[in-house]
């Protein structure tokens, strides 16, 4: 029987994390179980940085961006001594179950804890959407909408000046954010780390688009491909524009979560707490085809993810 559930947010923050913290806390309290927040992810866990979570202390946060528990990336947790120390700290503080809100790196840490007998469930949250076992991660939808809002403003000025903009979005290893926003904003090209870059094809398409009377060109570039300035240098002289660049960067991690992310966070947070209360552990919760499902934690990184190449084709086809 579980008595006290700990909750932490780890890795890069994502809009909706607060709604997930609230859902874990309120679900625990609803079932007569205490909730405790662990500040600054695994780093705070190792420092014993705890804060009691009550029904009211998670009030008013559902629509706030960031994470009230703050977050960190923790090198010490990559080593066995770090994980062992965390197990002892959890025991000393009577935390007999843990909800980890974060991406696949955070889930690796969660798996290490589960292997040492800690009851743990992962809640996938990252703007990169690069976690298998769920169709979407918490924060992805909001980040796409933020990028889209910015790009829509850029389109206005791009059209007025007959300009080409290269918009660099986040995503070191994954192009989901670039592809989704690129399709949504009608970009001419989307460049993602998973697929090769064809500079000839880019310059040719942009050239013909301009000849047909297009008043602007947009390229959405995932940061993992190359820096926007590098791409601009490569394209200068190869197409009819002097490209301007915009790097959206951490803007995409902030802001109030969308309705979609708030609902997703609430459903996943509640499902994680209920799984822990029922005595299930070593798993992650996710949303697959609209339903909340549980899968082993390692699904997050062992199940192969595929970028939807049909989406990339759509970007090409619809921007002729
Ligand atoms: O959380 C994911 C992410 O935003 C990636 O898209 C990005 O590459 C990385 O984190 C940036 O990390 P940091 O905030 O540590 O610079």
């Amino acid at each position: 029987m579980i008595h006290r559930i700990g909750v932490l947010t780890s890795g890069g923050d994502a809009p909706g994390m607060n709604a997930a913290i609230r859902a874990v806390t309120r679900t625990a309290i609803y079932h007569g179980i205490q909730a405790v927040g662990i500040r600054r992810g695994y780093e705070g866990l190792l420092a014993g940085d705890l804060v009691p979570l009550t029904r009211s202390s998670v009030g008013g946060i559902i629509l706030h961006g960031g994470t009230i528990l703050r977050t960190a990336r923790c090198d010490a947790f990559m080593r066995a001594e770090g994980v062992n120390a965390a197990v002892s700290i959890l025991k000393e503080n009577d935390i007999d179950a843990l909800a980890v809100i974060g991406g696949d790196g955070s889930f690796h840490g969660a798996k290490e804890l589960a292997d040492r007998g800690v009851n743990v469930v992962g809640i996938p949250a990252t703007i990169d959407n690069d976690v298998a076992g769920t169709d979407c991660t918490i924060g992805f939808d909001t980040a796409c909408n933020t990028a889209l809002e910015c790009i829509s403003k850029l389109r206005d000025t791009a059209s007025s000046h007959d300009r080409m903009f290269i918009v660099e979005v986040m995503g070191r290893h994954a192009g989901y954010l670039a592809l989704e926003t690129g399709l949504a904003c009608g970009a001419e090209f989307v460049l993602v780390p998973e697929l090769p870059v064809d500079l000839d094809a880019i310059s040719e398409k942009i050239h013909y688009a301009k000849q047909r009377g297009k008043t602007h060109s947009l390229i959405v570039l995932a940061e993992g491909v190359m820096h926007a300035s590098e791409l601009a240098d490569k394209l200068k002289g190869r197409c009819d524009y002097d490209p301007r660049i915009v790097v959206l960067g951490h803007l995409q991690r902030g802001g109030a979560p969308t309705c979609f992310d708030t609902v997703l966070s609430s459903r996943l947070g509640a499902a994680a707490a209920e799984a822990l209360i029922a005595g299930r552990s070593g798993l992650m919760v996710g949303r697959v085809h609209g339903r909340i499902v549980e899968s082993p934690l390692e699904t997050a990184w062992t199940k192969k993810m595929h970028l939807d190449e049909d989406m990339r084709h759509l970007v090409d086809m619809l921007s002729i």
Side-chain angles (χ1 to χ4, degrees):
M1 174 73 186
I2 299 296
H3 298 99
R4 206 167 185 226
I5 296 183
V7 55
L8 61 81
T9 48
S10 160
D13 61 352
M17 279 182 160
N18 281 327
I21 294 167
R22 169 183 179 270
V24 171
T25 304
R26 294 252 170 107
T27 306
I29 293 169
Y30 178 86
H31 290 285
I33 287 158
Q34 283 178 25
V36 57
I38 299 158
R39 291 200 194 94
R40 296 180 294 112
Y42 293 123
E43 197 155 298
L45 174 56
L46 291 175
D49 191 356
L50 309 179
V51 54
L53 292 175
T54 62
R55 196 188 51 76
S56 60
S57 70
V58 295
I61 66 168
I62 186 168
L63 290 174
H64 287 185
T67 158
I68 57 159
L69 293 176
R70 296 161 61 205
T71 181
R73 304 188 196 271
C74 178
D75 289 340
F77 214 74
M78 310 265 189
R79 296 185 286 277
E81 311 87 76
V83 184
N84 293 337
V87 174
S88 309
I89 291 167
L90 288 168
K91 273 199 190 118
E92 281 158 24
N93 289 283
D94 296 324
I95 298 173
D96 40 22
L98 183 67
V100 171
I101 306 171
D104 72 327
S106 310
F107 285 11
H108 272 94
K111 171 82 171 98
E112 292 296 323
L113 290 171
D115 289 348
R116 287 163 175 78
V118 175
N119 296 312
V120 55
V121 169
I123 301 172
T126 162
I127 65 160
D128 290 345
N129 204 30
D130 58 347
V131 179
T134 186
D135 289 342
C136 38
T137 52
I138 291 170
F140 176 64
D141 183 64
T142 308
C144 289
N145 279 289
T146 301
L148 191 59
E149 195 186 331
C150 298
I151 296 172
S152 141
K153 290 178 175 152
L154 288 174
R155 274 179 77 114
D156 295 344
T157 174
S159 273
S160 312
H161 288 264
D162 281 291
R163 271 186 177 148
M164 172 166 117
F165 273 87
I166 299 171
V167 185
E168 184 183 309
V169 299
M170 279 193 154
R172 271 187 213 143
H173 308 289
Y176 300 100
L177 187 52
L179 199 53
E180 195 94 356
T181 44
L183 180 59
C185 76
E188 268 66 39
F189 266 93
V190 175
L191 305 182
V192 294
E194 294 88 341
L195 298 169
V197 177
D198 183 346
L199 290 175
D200 290 334
I202 299 175
S203 13
E204 213 168 290
K205 184 170 181 191
I206 287 173
H207 174 70
Y208 287 116
K210 186 147 191 184
Q211 283 202 328
R212 281 196 324 275
K214 265 207 166 179
T215 52
H216 66 257
S217 271
L218 285 171
I219 297 182
V220 177
L221 165 75
E223 63 179 334
V225 178
M226 66 181 94
H227 195 274
S229 60
E230 205 183 324
L231 181 64
D233 287 344
K234 286 184 200 285
L235 288 176
K236 255 181 218 156
R238 294 181 70 128
C239 60
D240 319 290
Y241 291 102
D242 178 16
R244 295 292 195 272
I245 63 166
V246 171
V247 178
L248 294 184
H250 290 80
L251 255 183
Q252 297 153 98
R253 290 231 302 252
T258 56
C259 176
F260 180 88
D261 271 330
T262 310
V263 172
L264 178 68
S265 306
S266 302
R267 292 180 76 192
L268 293 182
E274 284 182 337
L276 287 166
I277 293 163
R280 296 193 294 280
S281 171
L283 49 88
M284 61 171 281
V285 288
R287 177 188 183 273
V288 177
H289 305 315
R291 298 175 69 89
I292 302 303
V293 299
E294 294 175 1
S295 18
L297 267 171
E298 56 272 31
T299 309
W301 63 90
T302 54
K303 197 168 151 219
K304 190 103 187 84
M305 292 189 69
H306 297 285
L307 193 89
D308 189 346
E309 290 212 30
D310 289 349
M311 292 258 291
R312 190 107 128 201
H313 171 65
L314 262 188
V315 171
D316 285 347
M317 187 169 78
L318 300 184
S319 63
I320 51 172

